[in-house]
Amino acid sequence: MIERVRARKERHRERSRIVRVAFAIAGFVVLLAGVIMLFTPGPGWAAIVFALAILALEFAWAERALERVIDQMERASDQVTKGSPVRRAVVIGIGVLAAAGFITLVILWDIPLVPG
């Protein structure tokens, strides 16, 4: 992902100043929304990564932050996928329990899965 951002950075520098300012403003708005979504329902981390990718076209600090966030996400992913069998069993068990709970609520409360 970082390589793609760096490749686009060169093309982005050729754009007009108005477009570049608009990109920066959009990046800060998405970043703010991502931070808010960390405390409210929504894909907060995904929005933050997207915002940092936008801001990395203009700012070196955003590129460094994007690299750190991606590294941390990769490490967390490795811990889950390459973790101990007990940890994987616990994660799968929690997922199965959550799915069973959802199905139970749908049946007991007669919640329609498809609107209409």
Side-chain angles (χ1 to χ4, degrees):
M1 181 173 184
I2 295 295
E3 291 81 25
R4 289 188 300 196
V5 170
R6 287 181 180 147
R8 290 183 182 176
K9 193 175 196 176
E10 295 304 318
R11 288 182 286 165
H12 180 71
R13 297 269 183 218
E14 297 171 0
R15 294 181 174 159
S16 72
R17 186 170 300 271
I18 294 171
V19 171
R20 291 174 61 189
V21 169
F23 261 80
I25 291 170
F28 283 114
V29 168
V30 174
L31 183 63
L32 178 63
V35 170
I36 290 170
M37 283 188 276
L38 289 176
F39 304 102
T40 61
W45 282 110
I48 290 172
V49 170
F50 181 65
L52 288 174
I54 293 171
L55 291 171
L57 296 174
E58 284 294 325
F59 305 105
W61 62 265
E63 188 174 342
R64 289 189 302 272
L66 180 61
E67 286 180 30
R68 282 194 303 264
V69 168
I70 289 174
D71 287 343
Q72 289 176 351
M73 290 173 69
E74 287 174 351
R75 273 190 257 126
S77 174
D78 287 344
Q79 285 180 348
V80 171
T81 59
K82 297 177 183 169
S84 69
V86 173
R87 179 183 288 175
R88 278 188 267 158
V90 168
V91 170
I92 291 171
I94 290 171
V96 168
L97 287 175
F102 176 74
I103 292 169
T104 303
L105 289 177
V106 166
I107 292 170
L108 291 178
W109 291 347
D110 196 29
I111 299 172
L113 292 179
V114 179

mmCIF file of all heavy atoms in Angstrom, residues 78-95:
data_model
loop_
_atom_site.group_PDB
_atom_site.id
_atom_site.type_symbol
_atom_site.label_atom_id
_atom_site.label_comp_id
_atom_site.label_asym_id
_atom_site.label_seq_id
_atom_site.Cartn_x
_atom_site.Cartn_y
_atom_site.Cartn_z
ATOM 1 N N ASP A 78 -0.805 -11.042 12.260
ATOM 2 C CA ASP A 78 0.087 -12.186 12.453
ATOM 3 C C ASP A 78 -0.167 -12.870 13.788
ATOM 4 O O ASP A 78 -0.107 -14.100 13.888
ATOM 5 C CB ASP A 78 1.549 -11.758 12.368
ATOM 6 C CG ASP A 78 1.997 -11.441 10.960
ATOM 7 O OD1 ASP A 78 1.269 -11.834 10.011
ATOM 8 O OD2 ASP A 78 3.045 -10.803 10.797
ATOM 9 N N GLN A 79 -0.454 -12.087 14.834
ATOM 10 C CA GLN A 79 -0.727 -12.688 16.138
ATOM 11 C C GLN A 79 -1.975 -13.564 16.096
ATOM 12 O O GLN A 79 -2.026 -14.604 16.729
ATOM 13 C CB GLN A 79 -0.900 -11.605 17.202
ATOM 14 C CG GLN A 79 0.384 -10.963 17.632
ATOM 15 C CD GLN A 79 0.171 -9.909 18.691
ATOM 16 O OE1 GLN A 79 -0.951 -9.490 18.951
ATOM 17 N NE2 GLN A 79 1.247 -9.471 19.315
ATOM 18 N N VAL A 80 -2.963 -13.143 15.333
ATOM 19 C CA VAL A 80 -4.193 -13.929 15.250
ATOM 20 C C VAL A 80 -3.984 -15.158 14.378
ATOM 21 O O VAL A 80 -4.368 -16.264 14.740
ATOM 22 C CB VAL A 80 -5.350 -13.057 14.708
ATOM 23 C CG1 VAL A 80 -6.563 -13.908 14.400
ATOM 24 C CG2 VAL A 80 -5.704 -11.968 15.703
ATOM 25 N N THR A 81 -3.370 -14.972 13.204
ATOM 26 C CA THR A 81 -3.242 -16.098 12.275
ATOM 27 C C THR A 81 -2.139 -17.066 12.658
ATOM 28 O O THR A 81 -2.248 -18.256 12.376
ATOM 29 C CB THR A 81 -2.992 -15.593 10.839
ATOM 30 O OG1 THR A 81 -1.805 -14.805 10.819
ATOM 31 C CG2 THR A 81 -4.163 -14.788 10.329
ATOM 32 N N LYS A 82 -1.077 -16.575 13.279
ATOM 33 C CA LYS A 82 0.040 -17.438 13.630
ATOM 34 C C LYS A 82 0.126 -17.675 15.131
ATOM 35 O O LYS A 82 1.153 -18.110 15.633
ATOM 36 C CB LYS A 82 1.346 -16.833 13.122
ATOM 37 C CG LYS A 82 1.397 -16.722 11.622
ATOM 38 C CD LYS A 82 2.645 -16.056 11.160
ATOM 39 C CE LYS A 82 2.612 -15.907 9.641
ATOM 40 N NZ LYS A 82 3.659 -15.062 9.134
ATOM 41 N N GLY A 83 -0.956 -17.385 15.828
ATOM 42 C CA GLY A 83 -0.962 -17.556 17.272
ATOM 43 C C GLY A 83 -1.064 -19.015 17.666
ATOM 44 O O GLY A 83 -1.125 -19.917 16.834
ATOM 45 N N SER A 84 -1.111 -19.233 18.944
ATOM 46 C CA SER A 84 -1.183 -20.596 19.454
ATOM 47 C C SER A 84 -2.535 -21.212 19.088
ATOM 48 O O SER A 84 -3.520 -20.500 18.869
ATOM 49 C CB SER A 84 -1.004 -20.583 20.973
ATOM 50 O OG SER A 84 -2.135 -19.987 21.577
ATOM 51 N N PRO A 85 -2.588 -22.527 19.047
ATOM 52 C CA PRO A 85 -3.858 -23.191 18.745
ATOM 53 C C PRO A 85 -4.945 -22.852 19.758
ATOM 54 O O PRO A 85 -6.118 -22.769 19.408
ATOM 55 C CB PRO A 85 -3.503 -24.679 18.789
ATOM 56 C CG PRO A 85 -2.043 -24.742 18.538
ATOM 57 C CD PRO A 85 -1.475 -23.476 19.107
ATOM 58 N N VAL A 86 -4.557 -22.627 21.000
ATOM 59 C CA VAL A 86 -5.541 -22.278 22.022
ATOM 60 C C VAL A 86 -6.163 -20.923 21.704
ATOM 61 O O VAL A 86 -7.389 -20.752 21.776
ATOM 62 C CB VAL A 86 -4.877 -22.268 23.427
ATOM 63 C CG1 VAL A 86 -5.840 -21.743 24.469
ATOM 64 C CG2 VAL A 86 -4.363 -23.642 23.789
ATOM 65 N N ARG A 87 -5.322 -19.968 21.330
ATOM 66 C CA ARG A 87 -5.834 -18.635 20.995
ATOM 67 C C ARG A 87 -6.777 -18.708 19.795
ATOM 68 O O ARG A 87 -7.838 -18.101 19.800
ATOM 69 C CB ARG A 87 -4.686 -17.673 20.694
ATOM 70 C CG ARG A 87 -5.189 -16.273 20.323
ATOM 71 C CD ARG A 87 -4.088 -15.343 19.955
ATOM 72 N NE ARG A 87 -3.346 -14.999 21.162
ATOM 73 C CZ ARG A 87 -2.253 -14.263 21.172
ATOM 74 N NH1 ARG A 87 -1.757 -13.802 20.054
ATOM 75 N NH2 ARG A 87 -1.645 -13.979 22.290
ATOM 76 N N ARG A 88 -6.385 -19.448 18.764
ATOM 77 C CA ARG A 88 -7.252 -19.584 17.591
ATOM 78 C C ARG A 88 -8.569 -20.240 17.958
ATOM 79 O O ARG A 88 -9.630 -19.838 17.494
ATOM 80 C CB ARG A 88 -6.546 -20.371 16.488
ATOM 81 C CG ARG A 88 -5.608 -19.495 15.687
ATOM 82 C CD ARG A 88 -5.078 -20.235 14.499
ATOM 83 N NE ARG A 88 -3.805 -20.826 14.945
ATOM 84 C CZ ARG A 88 -3.219 -21.842 14.409
ATOM 85 N NH1 ARG A 88 -3.754 -22.443 13.383
ATOM 86 N NH2 ARG A 88 -2.074 -22.299 14.878
ATOM 87 N N ALA A 89 -8.515 -21.253 18.818
ATOM 88 C CA ALA A 89 -9.743 -21.934 19.244
ATOM 89 C C ALA A 89 -10.655 -20.976 20.008
ATOM 90 O O ALA A 89 -11.874 -20.983 19.821
ATOM 91 C CB ALA A 89 -9.404 -23.144 20.097
ATOM 92 N N VAL A 90 -10.068 -20.137 20.853
ATOM 93 C CA VAL A 90 -10.862 -19.168 21.609
ATOM 94 C C VAL A 90 -11.513 -18.157 20.672
ATOM 95 O O VAL A 90 -12.701 -17.848 20.797
ATOM 96 C CB VAL A 90 -9.993 -18.464 22.675
ATOM 97 C CG1 VAL A 90 -10.700 -17.263 23.266
ATOM 98 C CG2 VAL A 90 -9.594 -19.446 23.760
ATOM 99 N N VAL A 91 -10.758 -17.645 19.704
ATOM 100 C CA VAL A 91 -11.310 -16.672 18.749
ATOM 101 C C VAL A 91 -12.428 -17.302 17.928
ATOM 102 O O VAL A 91 -13.498 -16.700 17.742
ATOM 103 C CB VAL A 91 -10.186 -16.109 17.839
ATOM 104 C CG1 VAL A 91 -10.766 -15.308 16.696
ATOM 105 C CG2 VAL A 91 -9.234 -15.259 18.656
ATOM 106 N N ILE A 92 -12.217 -18.524 17.459
ATOM 107 C CA ILE A 92 -13.263 -19.215 16.691
ATOM 108 C C ILE A 92 -14.474 -19.477 17.577
ATOM 109 O O ILE A 92 -15.624 -19.295 17.161
ATOM 110 C CB ILE A 92 -12.707 -20.521 16.086
ATOM 111 C CG1 ILE A 92 -11.706 -20.183 14.988
ATOM 112 C CG2 ILE A 92 -13.837 -21.399 15.545
ATOM 113 C CD1 ILE A 92 -10.942 -21.379 14.465
ATOM 114 N N GLY A 93 -14.229 -19.882 18.822
ATOM 115 C CA GLY A 93 -15.338 -20.129 19.754
ATOM 116 C C GLY A 93 -16.166 -18.880 20.015
ATOM 117 O O GLY A 93 -17.397 -18.936 20.042
ATOM 118 N N ILE A 94 -15.504 -17.758 20.182
ATOM 119 C CA ILE A 94 -16.221 -16.500 20.390
ATOM 120 C C ILE A 94 -17.050 -16.154 19.158
ATOM 121 O O ILE A 94 -18.196 -15.724 19.269
ATOM 122 C CB ILE A 94 -15.242 -15.363 20.747
ATOM 123 C CG1 ILE A 94 -14.666 -15.594 22.147
ATOM 124 C CG2 ILE A 94 -15.918 -13.997 20.660
ATOM 125 C CD1 ILE A 94 -13.536 -14.662 22.515
ATOM 126 N N GLY A 95 -16.487 -16.379 17.980
ATOM 127 C CA GLY A 95 -17.240 -16.127 16.745
ATOM 128 C C GLY A 95 -18.451 -17.022 16.628
ATOM 129 O O GLY A 95 -19.550 -16.574 16.253
#
